Amino acid sequence: MLAALISIVATWLLIGPAFLGLGLALRRAAGVPAESPEDLLAAFWVGWAAALGALQWTSLFLPIGWPARLIVLVLGVAGFVFHGRAIAAIAWPRNARRAAFVACLALFALWLANQSTAPIVLYDAGLYHLTQVRWAASFPAVPGLGNLHVRLAYNNASFLYNAFMSAGPWQGLAHHVSNGLLLLAMAARLGLGAWRRLFGREAKPSDLAALILLGPALSQCFRHASSLSPDLPAFALGVLVCLELIRLALDNLPPGAKRAAAFHVLVLASAGLAVKLTFAVFGFTAAVAALALLWRARPVFRPMAAAGVLSAFIVAPWFARGVITSGCPFYPSQALAVNVDWRVPPEIARNDLQWMRSWARVPAAPPDQVLAGWSWLRPWTRGLFAYEEHVFDVVLPLLIALIAGVALLARPGPKPWRAAACAIPCAAAIVFWFFSAPLPRYAAASLWALAAGLAAAASLARSSGRHGAFGRAAWAAAALVLAAAACHGRDRFIAPGPDRGLYPLPVAAVEPRLTHSGLIVFTPRRGEQCWDAPLPCAPALNPRLRLRQPGCLAAGFTLSSQRDLPALCKDALP
C-alpha cells in the first residue's frame, strides 16, 4: 500500500507543477500575472485547460503518446522554473496559520491517494470510458467511431487527458492518478477559501461559498478518485467557474484581480464545454455574466483577447473532433451536422438522444412512453429521495438555496444585480437540465453553485460576519454539508489491493464476430462491458458496420446501406 501511495503522490507532484507552470506562462502573456495563492491555484486550471486544447489538436493527427506528453511537460516545467521565485514568494507558509493549512492539505493528499487506489466500479467505465481512452492512445481521431458504438461518438475531451496520464507504470491504469489530481487541485482551492473563512481575519463572500462547496468536493472524492468519468472534471470546472464569478461579483476586487477572474471564467468555461456538452448553457451564461461584471475594470482588451484566443484554441479542435468521430459536432444533437460518408445515421442519433432523455427520467422505460407527457415526474421525484447521492446532489443544495434566497429577498443589499449575476447562469443551466436530461449527477455542480452563490450574496447583504445570526447559520449549513458528504461516502479507507496495493481491471470475456463486410468486432459474451478488451470492441454487433478503408482501423467506420446486406450475416468466427 505504501508503494502505491508514494507512486500516486509522486505522479501528482510531477504533473501538477507542469500544468501550473503552463498556466502561469499563459496568465503572464494575458497581462494577469499571479499575485496571490488563489491566482496560483487558478493558474493550474488554466494550464490544464490549455493542455487539453493541445491534446485535442494533437489527436487530430497523432495518437496521444510520448510526443504530446513531452511537449506539455517540457513547456510546463519551463514555465514553472521561470516563475519559480514568484511561486515561492506566494506559496511559502509565512505564518503558523498558513503552515497549518499546508499541513492539512498534505494529509488530505495522502488520504486522497488512498482513495485513488480503489477498484474502478462505475458501469460506464467498462461500457465505454476505458475504450475511449484506448482509442485515443492508439489512433488519431477516428472517422465514424460512433458507428462502432454510439457512446464512442460522445465528444469528451477529458478522455484525452486520461490517455495523457496513461503512461509508464500507469499504462492502462490512468484511473488511479488522473481524476485524483483534479480533485486535489479543486480541494486545495476550496480549502483555501474555507480556511480563511474559518480562521482568517478578512473573510470574503467567496470564502463562504468555498466553505459550502467543500462538502460536494469531498463527495466527489468518494465517487471519482479512482475513475475516468468526465463527470468529475465537468463538476470541478463548474464549481471553479462559480467561485470566480462570485469573486468577480461580490468580493470588491481591485481592477487587476477582476480581469484575472474574468479571464479564468472564460477559459474554464471553454474547457467545460470540451469536457461535456451539458456544460454549454452554464458556461455560456457564466461567460456573459463575467463580461457584464467586468465592463468597468478597464483596460480589459489584452486579457479578454487572450481569453478569446485560448478559448478558440480549446473549442476549435473539439468541434473538429466531433465532426470526425460522428459527423455531428454536438452529438447526439444533429445541429450543424456534416454530410460525410462516416456520419452516424440521423435515425440512430435521434434514437440515442431519446434514450438519453428517457433514461434520465425513468431508467429502462420505453422512451415513447416516458417522453409522451409528464407521467415521469412522480417516479422521478420519488427517486430523488430514494438514493443518498440524489438527496445530496439535488435536495440538499436546493434547500440551502431556498433558505439563502429567502434571506436575500428579505434584505437584498445595495446591489442586488450582482447576486443575480451569480444566480442566473446556475438557474439557466438547471432549467435546461430539467427539460433535457434531468439525471441528478448532471446538475450537481449547477445546483451547488446556486446554493453557494446565494449564500454568499446573502452574507454580504446582511454583513453579519462569522459571528452574527446569518454567519452562524452559514457555518451550520457548511457543517451539515460536510457531515452529509462524509456519511454517504462508500469507503473512508481503501484496503490494499492484490497488485502492488492496487486493484486490477475487470476482464471481460469477449468473442470475435464478423460483420457482412468481414470486419472482426469483439463483443462481450455476457453483458455490455468491454472493459480493456482488444480493439475494436462494442457491446453488440451491427452487421452493417464496415471499414472505410479495408484493413485500416485508423481510416474509420461507416455503415453499409440496408439494401446491400444479405438476409443473414456471419455471427462468429469458427
Side-chain angles (χ1 to χ4, degrees):
M1 169 61 77
L2 183 59
L5 296 183
I6 292 174
S7 299
I8 291 171
V9 173
T11 302
W12 293 345
L13 290 176
L14 172 65
I15 304 298
F19 290 147
L20 174 59
L22 193 58
L24 288 172
L26 290 169
R27 281 181 57 114
R28 186 183 184 90
V32 284
E35 298 175 349
S36 66
E38 291 92 340
D39 289 341
L40 287 183
L41 295 170
F44 168 90
W45 289 97
V46 172
W48 184 83
L52 198 67
L55 293 175
Q56 290 184 100
W57 282 106
T58 301
S59 72
L60 299 179
F61 309 100
L62 297 169
I64 302 301
W66 280 109
R69 295 186 186 103
L70 288 175
I71 291 173
V72 171
L73 290 175
V74 168
L75 291 177
V77 171
F80 185 83
V81 172
F82 181 82
H83 294 90
R85 288 187 179 181
I87 294 171
I90 295 171
W92 186 258
R94 302 172 185 173
N95 52 51
R97 191 183 300 116
R98 185 177 288 189
F101 171 73
V102 172
C104 290
L105 186 60
L107 291 175
F108 175 81
L110 289 175
W111 174 80
L112 184 59
N114 170 259
Q115 291 291 309
S116 299
T117 64
I120 191 167
V121 296
L122 289 180
Y123 185 84
D124 283 353
L127 184 64
Y128 73 101
H129 292 174
L130 282 160
T131 306
Q132 283 268 34
V133 174
R134 187 158 185 173
W135 277 105
S138 303
F139 299 95
V142 177
L145 188 60
N147 289 312
L148 174 65
H149 179 203
V150 290
R151 296 295 182 92
L152 301 181
Y154 293 172
N155 190 10
N156 304 118
S158 60
F159 291 129
L160 303 180
Y161 163 66
N162 299 138
F164 171 87
M165 299 292 282
S166 182
W170 304 114
Q171 181 71 40
L173 300 172
H175 56 282
H176 290 303
V177 289
S178 54
N179 275 358
L181 176 60
L182 304 185
L183 282 165
L184 180 59
M186 174 176 63
R189 176 61 189 93
L190 297 176
L192 179 65
W195 192 269
R196 187 164 47 217
R197 180 74 188 184
L198 294 172
F199 305 111
R201 297 176 182 175
E202 297 181 357
K204 301 175 181 178
S206 65
D207 296 332
L208 174 60
L211 181 61
I212 292 174
L213 291 169
L214 201 56
L218 177 62
S219 175
Q220 295 294 313
C221 293
F222 287 116
R223 303 184 204 184
H224 293 304
S226 179
S227 163
L228 299 172
S229 174
D231 289 345
L232 183 274
F235 178 90
L237 290 166
V239 163
L240 294 165
V241 167
C242 159
L243 201 60
E244 292 296 322
L245 202 57
I246 292 171
R247 291 182 68 225
L248 189 59
L250 304 177
D251 276 4
N252 195 25
L253 299 174
K258 286 186 176 182
R259 290 191 290 269
F263 174 81
H264 296 150
V265 170
L266 267 63
V267 173
L268 299 189
S270 301
L273 173 63
V275 167
K276 207 168 178 69
L277 183 59
T278 53
F279 199 93
V281 172
F282 176 75
F284 176 76
T285 51
V288 171
L291 292 173
L293 290 165
L294 188 66
W295 71 278
R296 287 186 179 178
R298 299 190 177 105
V300 299
F301 177 77
R302 183 178 173 186
M304 292 304 96
V309 170
L310 187 52
S311 297
F313 179 76
I314 295 168
V315 172
W318 172 81
F319 188 96
R321 280 179 51 81
V323 172
I324 291 172
T325 55
S326 66
C328 308
F330 309 114
Y331 185 91
S333 168
Q334 298 293 292
L336 302 182
V338 180
N339 189 23
V340 287
D341 66 281
W342 64 79
R343 177 182 172 182
V344 174
E347 62 274 14
I348 292 179
R350 282 193 294 267
N351 182 68
D352 190 26
L353 179 61
Q354 293 297 88
W355 267 107
M356 183 176 67
R357 297 180 63 223
S358 172
W359 190 279
R361 290 165 168 80
V362 184
D368 292 343
Q369 296 179 14
V370 174
L371 302 177
W374 289 92
S375 60
W376 59 270
L377 190 58
R378 180 174 293 180
W380 178 82
T381 305
R382 285 199 302 264
L384 293 181
F385 296 90
Y387 301 96
E388 289 182 3
E389 288 186 356
H390 293 178
V391 172
F392 189 86
D393 288 343
V394 178
V395 179
L396 186 55
L398 282 179
L399 179 61
I400 295 173
L402 178 62
I403 295 172
V406 170
L408 189 60
L409 289 174
R411 188 182 297 178
K415 295 181 179 180
W417 62 273
R418 289 186 173 273
C422 298
I424 288 174
C426 304
I430 292 167
V431 170
F432 176 78
W433 161 78
F434 181 78
F435 286 101
S436 58
L439 197 64
R441 60 186 171 90
Y442 289 169
S446 298
L447 288 162
W448 278 111
L450 179 65
L454 290 177
S459 71
L460 180 65
R462 293 188 169 253
S463 300
S464 58
R466 290 177 307 213
H467 305 295
F470 190 85
R472 288 193 296 270
W475 276 47
L480 173 65
V481 171
L482 280 169
C487 289
H488 88 271
R490 294 186 179 93
D491 296 304
R492 293 167 186 80
F493 179 80
I494 306 299
D499 184 12
R500 297 169 297 170
L502 304 175
Y503 290 84
L505 287 172
V507 177
V510 296
E511 59 180 355
R513 302 176 66 187
L514 285 177
T515 67
H516 170 60
S517 67
L519 172 64
I520 299 175
V521 177
F522 296 95
T523 59
R525 292 182 183 273
R526 298 180 60 184
E528 297 180 313
Q529 294 170 292
C530 288
W531 290 106
D532 201 25
L535 302 179
C537 185
L541 181 71
N542 186 339
R544 298 169 56 194
L545 187 69
R546 64 178 177 86
L547 290 174
R548 297 178 63 241
Q549 180 179 328
C552 182
L553 290 177
F557 302 88
T558 188
L559 296 178
S560 301
S561 61
Q562 194 70 39
R563 63 178 179 271
D564 294 334
L565 292 178
L568 297 173
C569 70
K570 297 179 181 178
D571 186 58
L573 289 174

